[in-house]
Amino acid sequence: MDWFRYNPVCRVISKRISTALLTGLISCLTQCAWIQANPEPAPGAIDRDYYFLDDHVQIQGQALLPPPRESVLVTGQDGNTKTVIHYLSLQERRKRCRDQAVRNGHTKWLSLTEADWQMQSEWDLRLGMNARGLWSECLDEAQIRGHFYDTPDTCRVVLLYACLPQNY
């Protein structure tokens, strides 16, 4: 066994194996800590619009996939405006749909607040104007649990909020 200890190739291999084991252990512990910090909802809860846990709220946001082309007003150097057709890639359309679904989830969460109760459409207008408040941190820290394309023209995002809306 002395040849194993003094052989440089064996030392490199044993260091790589111990590094891989240590990396795997750290990854496992990190995932365990994430699972404890983010409790798993009951089976079937991922399909519910609202799901209240002890100290978390799970909300679904939905949106329509934008069309593959859009009209954009462009102002020329002469000051005249004209309409230009802009084509969107599937990746860009999906990103926009996901962003709108997240915003829809945020407006649902905000419509459950008690201190400044407003309809969801009002919150959508306020978020469109970049409104901020005491609740802003809750929206910024919301975690996306899942992202789904249910039909060819819709998308759905499942969000987990660490703040309870009735406290705002």
Side-chain angles (χ1 to χ4, degrees), residues 48-60:
R48 294 185 188 167
D49 203 24
Y50 296 94
Y51 186 79
F52 289 88
L53 300 162
D54 293 335
D55 57 348
H56 290 75
V57 178
Q58 177 181 289
I59 295 178
Q60 285 193 43

Side-chain angles (χ1 to χ4, degrees), residues 109-127:
W109 187 91
L110 286 166
S111 67
L112 296 173
T113 58
E114 292 182 1
D116 186 15
W117 184 87
Q118 298 293 329
M119 293 175 53
Q120 187 176 351
S121 58
E122 175 65 24
W123 283 115
D124 190 43
L125 290 172
R126 289 181 182 191
L127 289 180

Side-chain angles (χ1 to χ4, degrees), residues 78-96:
D78 57 357
N80 295 332
T81 59
K82 62 180 180 177
T83 304
V84 176
I85 302 295
H86 178 69
Y87 291 94
L88 302 171
S89 67
L90 181 60
Q91 181 180 6
E92 177 65 24
R93 293 173 62 207
R94 286 185 169 176
K95 181 186 179 310
R96 287 187 185 184

Side-chain angles (χ1 to χ4, degrees), residues 7-127:
N7 188 338
V9 174
C10 292
R11 270 197 258 159
V12 169
I13 291 173
S14 68
K15 284 184 182 180
R16 286 188 180 166
I17 290 173
S18 63
T19 304
L21 289 174
L22 184 61
T23 304
L25 180 63
I26 291 172
S27 174
C28 181
L29 290 175
T30 304
Q31 288 181 357
C32 290
W34 186 85
I35 289 171
Q36 286 179 347
N38 301 302
E40 192 65 31
I46 198 90
D47 295 329
R48 294 185 188 167
D49 203 24
Y50 296 94
Y51 186 79
F52 289 88
L53 300 162
D54 293 335
D55 57 348
H56 290 75
V57 178
Q58 177 181 289
I59 295 178
Q60 285 193 43
Q62 297 176 342
L64 291 173
L65 198 66
R69 64 183 200 164
E70 65 183 0
S71 300
V72 179
L73 286 176
V74 177
T75 304
Q77 292 179 348
D78 57 357
N80 295 332
T81 59
K82 62 180 180 177
T83 304
V84 176
I85 302 295
H86 178 69
Y87 291 94
L88 302 171
S89 67
L90 181 60
Q91 181 180 6
E92 177 65 24
R93 293 173 62 207
R94 286 185 169 176
K95 181 186 179 310
R96 287 187 185 184
C97 188
R98 181 181 175 135
D99 293 344
Q100 284 297 320
V102 168
R103 182 169 163 174
N104 180 258
H106 289 344
T107 59
K108 286 181 183 182
W109 187 91
L110 286 166
S111 67
L112 296 173
T113 58
E114 292 182 1
D116 186 15
W117 184 87
Q118 298 293 329
M119 293 175 53
Q120 187 176 351
S121 58
E122 175 65 24
W123 283 115
D124 190 43
L125 290 172
R126 289 181 182 191
L127 289 180

